[in-house]
Amino acid sequence: MLKRGLAIITLLIIGYWLAQGLAGVPFGQDKMLVGQYYLDHVKEQTGSVNAVTAVVVNYRGFDTLGEVTVLFIASTGVGALLWERKKRRTAKTEGSIVLTTGTRLLVPFVILFGAYIFIHGHLTPGGGFPGGATIATAFLLLYMAFTMYEIPHKAFEKTEGLVGMGYVIVGLIGLAIGGYFLFDWIWQTWGWGHDNIGRLFSGGFIPIIYTIIGLKVGTELSGIIDNMLKEEVSE
Amino acid sequence: MEEASRASKFAYTFIVLFILWLVVTASLDSQELITGAVIALIVAALTHDVFTKAGLANLHPKRVAYAIAYIPYFLWAMIMANLDVAYRVLHPARPIRPGIVKCKTVLNSDTGKLSLANSITLTPGTITLDVDGENYFIHWIWVPDEVLNAKDDSEHVEKASEAITRPFEKYLRVIFG
């Protein structure tokens, strides 16, 4: 009781303190310093009409590379923590016919929609991470509906590694051509897509990097699901 | 129904996915069409075995026509069902007589059984609880007298199927087999 009371009082103090700090920030007023630069130059400098994507992949590409690395470490960490010599799915009861048939029908649609999200990253909200998470949802559905389902491990682990390297290679090509890592060579050196901003084949290397990230996030989250849904076989 | 060949399944999955792509992009730009075709090919190659059993046979004109006719039929049943439930909720005497009944279906394919289960859940105060082979276990908000007073099990199943599954089955049997 005393502990709970103390926790509530502490939270109230922290909340009041944060509210005081935020009260000084004016609401609804123009306070863009760097932001205005992005909005003014995003189309000519990156070819993307989605400013968020351009910032995340182009202006601040290192952050995204870091995020992908964090996700990769999370996936590897789960794999290392749950490592057993022999593992098997734990589900005991088969799903009803409504669940399994519904899953069969939904899976291709979910995967196609995930691909739609990451390919249109430079045009619509979304991008590699939501698209990849959507694709992983399709595999989660398969895991939930079928007691024996397992992702095709060999293909998944190879894809994961290859697309991870692909991201770095795209950056290294930029280093070779333009002088710094993650330089957008497709847009700035080749000038590819200048005449059709807003159509699908534009946006410099953003669609390529988002395809890479989408595949990487999709395979990685599926791998985490796979690891967590298995348990050791006792013999 | 026997299973279709691999090529037929693949072609059917590709067609359905490409139509979905056209719907979500809502654009006939050549770049979108090319990308959509490539992605639909890849996804169809990965998932056609999961997606369909009958393959291209699903696109038989008679089946498509019945599927299109089924949409307004089903929507009308759904609107009437929701009005009926609203009436039961608002009525001061609350005319509710719930019960679980068993029905038998004549549908063979899994997709047909799924559609029937979903159609039942979305219409007149009925919810599918479980599907086991050809038996449907359905929760009914108002079990009518003739089902309640059925003399034996087979009459009970017959009366309940007559009221719940038959109206949908005449369409779904053509659409899904």
Side-chain angles (χ1 to χ4, degrees):
Chain A
M1 195 58 217
L2 180 69
K3 238 167 132 182
R4 192 173 291 174
L6 278 176
I8 290 171
I9 290 166
T10 318
L11 280 175
L12 282 175
I13 292 170
I14 293 174
Y16 178 73
W17 180 53
L18 284 175
Q20 280 300 305
L22 289 174
V25 181
F27 181 76
Q29 286 176 30
D30 187 2
K31 45 185 178 293
M32 289 196 292
L33 302 168
V34 192
Q36 196 58 51
Y37 176 85
Y38 287 145
L39 290 182
D40 290 342
H41 298 93
V42 64
K43 264 161 92 178
E44 62 184 83
Q45 285 185 344
T46 67
S48 162
V49 293
N50 182 345
V52 177
T53 314
V55 171
V56 166
V57 178
N58 232 308
Y59 291 112
R60 299 182 176 183
F62 270 119
D63 285 7
T64 306
L65 189 58
E67 280 167 29
V68 173
T69 315
V70 166
L71 207 59
F72 174 69
I73 293 170
S75 159
T76 319
V78 170
L81 281 174
L82 300 176
W83 189 82
E84 300 289 349
R85 199 169 293 280
K86 270 194 169 171
K87 295 212 296 188
R88 206 175 48 194
R89 288 291 313 281
T90 52
K92 298 288 189 291
T93 47
E94 190 73 53
S96 84
I97 193 171
V98 177
L99 176 67
T100 54
T101 316
T103 305
R104 282 168 186 277
L105 290 179
L106 269 180
V107 160
F109 293 160
V110 176
I111 295 179
L112 184 92
F113 192 62
Y116 166 82
I117 293 176
F118 68 63
I119 280 170
H120 288 82
H122 56 299
L123 302 174
T124 58
F129 289 92
T134 308
I135 289 177
T137 313
F139 290 99
L140 178 63
L141 268 174
L142 286 170
Y143 269 98
M144 300 294 229
F146 298 100
T147 51
M148 296 313 292
Y149 181 78
E150 278 196 42
I151 51 170
H153 286 278
K154 281 202 173 134
F156 262 59
E157 277 139 26
K158 283 201 181 101
T159 314
E160 193 184 325
L162 282 177
V163 291
M165 281 192 318
Y167 193 173
V168 179
I169 288 169
V170 169
L172 286 176
I173 294 174
L175 184 67
I177 294 178
Y180 59 92
F181 191 67
L182 288 174
F183 171 79
D184 188 350
W185 38 284
I186 295 180
W187 178 258
Q188 304 209 14
T189 310
W190 294 3
W192 209 69
H194 275 274
D195 48 344
N196 61 359
I197 292 177
R199 285 175 80 196
L200 188 55
F201 293 167
S202 67
F205 68 8
I206 293 173
I208 295 172
I209 287 195
Y210 262 166
T211 306
I212 286 170
I213 294 176
L215 291 176
K216 189 153 176 65
V217 171
T219 47
E220 242 152 35
L221 294 181
S222 306
I224 291 179
I225 294 165
D226 175 75
N227 268 314
M228 289 190 154
L229 284 176
K230 282 172 160 179
E231 72 181 15
E232 194 181 358
V233 181
S234 51
E235 293 180 62
Chain B
M1 195 194 313
E2 77 274 25
E3 267 195 47
S5 71
R6 258 192 126 66
S8 160
K9 284 189 200 174
F10 179 77
Y12 174 66
T13 313
F14 172 76
I15 291 168
V16 172
L17 288 177
F18 192 64
I19 291 173
L20 177 71
W21 180 271
L22 291 181
V23 171
V24 293
T25 55
S27 134
L28 290 174
D29 190 340
S30 57
Q31 297 177 353
E32 297 276 5
L33 294 184
I34 295 166
T35 317
V38 171
I39 290 174
L41 272 179
I42 296 170
V43 178
L46 293 174
T47 59
H48 65 275
D49 217 25
V50 178
F51 183 59
T52 176
K53 281 205 174 88
L56 281 175
N58 281 328
L59 293 176
H60 190 283
K62 196 177 167 203
R63 289 184 163 186
V64 177
Y66 266 75
I68 293 169
Y70 183 64
I71 294 169
Y73 176 82
F74 171 72
L75 284 178
W76 179 249
M78 199 164 91
I79 292 168
M80 294 319 284
N82 284 298
L83 291 176
D84 179 65
V85 173
Y87 162 78
R88 289 180 197 284
V89 172
L90 296 173
H91 195 283
R94 227 173 14 150
I96 289 173
R97 193 204 279 162
I100 295 173
V101 295
K102 182 171 146 187
C103 292
K104 271 196 163 58
T105 179
V106 296
L107 298 172
N108 293 317
S109 73
D110 287 356
T111 327
K113 285 178 182 166
L114 169 72
S115 321
L116 180 59
N118 283 343
S119 301
I120 289 170
T121 299
L122 287 169
T123 50
T126 46
I127 291 174
T128 312
L129 298 177
D130 197 11
V131 181
D132 180 16
E134 59 175 1
N135 297 319
Y136 277 66
F137 297 94
I138 292 161
H139 182 275
W140 213 343
I141 202 171
W142 177 262
V143 182
D145 292 331
E146 67 262 26
V147 177
L148 210 58
N149 301 328
K151 279 189 284 297
D152 56 4
D153 199 41
S154 61
E155 190 193 338
H156 161 99
V157 170
E158 175 60 32
K159 290 269 165 55
S161 307
E162 194 67 50
I164 299 175
T165 59
R166 291 290 144 74
F168 299 118
E169 273 174 352
K170 63 188 178 200
Y171 286 88
L172 293 176
R173 203 171 50 208
V174 182
I175 302 173
F176 298 109

